[in-house]
Amino acid sequence: MLNGEKRIERPLRWGMIGGGRTGNVGYKHRLGALRDNTAYELVAGAFDLDFERCKDFGMNLGVAKDRLYPDYKTMFEEEAKRADGVEVVSIATPNFTHYEITKAALNAGLHVICEKPLFFKVEQGEEIKALAEKMNKIVGVTYGFSGSQLLLQMRQMVQNGDLGDIHMVELQYTHGFACDEIGDKVSEGQKWRVDPEKSGPSFVLGDLSTHTFYMSELICPELKLKQVLCDRQSFVRSREPLEDNAYVLMRYENGAVGRMWASAVNAGCMDGHRIRIVGSKASVEFSDNQPNELLYQVQGEPIRKMIRSMPYLYDACNADERLGALHAEGLPESWANIYLKFAIAIDAKNRGDEETLKNLVYPGIDAGIDGIRWVTKCVESADKGGVWVDYK
């Protein structure tokens, strides 16, 4: 169980790029990184393209005025001159900036934690992976829901054979908050998401489904995708060619099958994030609007509701427990778990501790590259008229 004690020798000196006052994603990063106050110390930031707004916001967060910067390039240059300069940066900016900032950060000798989707092209991901290895740095991807510890319970149940052979993977991440075009015009966070030059080749496939796809890989690490078939729609016509709804069928190398529904136009849906893994003996299901519960359904037996923090759960699950039974956890704890693992990975990389890195389960550069491949292949399938395409 986690109780806030330090897991690394000292907090990492941490800076943020983006994540300022006008968006809410930055707060999730800060909730995760600073929850225990033992893994990170926020010391610098280029929070906003508007420098005056950046300074006002940063000082309200407690960052020293002389460590607030008008852009990431200035931040890297100035921090490199300091003996106490930043060691790791988080990138919470629109998708089209991720590649250039990540590359610049690695070249500046910094570890990187980046928003998803990582980049637009698999080749960019492979290039950054090679650069990170050359610079001996960690690149983490903030699949923020993936720190929910019940996912590790699902992973262990799959690996232990509790479900039998895995036959089906059911994935859904939908909401109804983009049912009309109003947000496309007035919401700063949504405007760029429906602009192909800034969001890349997709809307909901990149913004939503990458979360759930990574979680399926975390739960079922032995399942390898063979082919995908995608059909995507732009129900709000002004968003074309970007989709606001998509259905994806999946074929795995071992014969298992799956499907994903990603949508921002599921009218009335407040939180439709669901994962169901179906085996030959039993099924297990998780929904992030009930993050403290896991449904375990053995064929021919009553449905079992497994509750977070209980001793009947596997040790791998309870190792990430924070609050204990009777106290509900949610998204902030999930973010805190992945940020803590980023810190442990960075510390291990700095010390050359490959054993810790090998056994640590967190969304790293390979997960980021697979997210790019997932979006790319789904778009390729849809643009070809909804046909099966090979995943690799």
Side-chain angles (χ1 to χ4, degrees), residues 207-227:
D207 197 45
L208 301 180
S209 78
T210 47
H211 279 291
T212 321
F213 176 66
Y214 169 69
M215 290 158 73
S216 73
E217 291 189 309
L218 185 156
I219 296 165
C220 302
E222 302 305 317
L223 281 188
K224 304 301 179 184
L225 260 184
K226 181 180 179 181
Q227 293 177 307

Side-chain angles (χ1 to χ4, degrees), residues 14-27 29-30 34 41-65 67-72 75 86 89-94 101:
W14 174 52
M16 285 199 72
I17 302 159
R21 180 178 290 143
T22 59
N24 62 11
V25 69
Y27 188 46
H29 286 265
R30 291 185 290 276
L34 303 176
E41 179 186 6
L42 182 60
V43 298
F47 296 106
D48 200 305
L49 292 174
D50 183 321
F51 189 33
E52 292 304 315
R53 193 162 57 192
C54 169
K55 289 187 289 185
D56 182 62
F57 180 70
M59 287 188 289
N60 278 335
L61 293 179
V63 179
K65 185 177 180 179
R67 301 187 75 174
L68 296 166
Y69 302 100
D71 54 68
Y72 73 89
M75 177 174 157
V86 293
V89 292
S90 290
I91 302 170
T93 58
I101 301 175

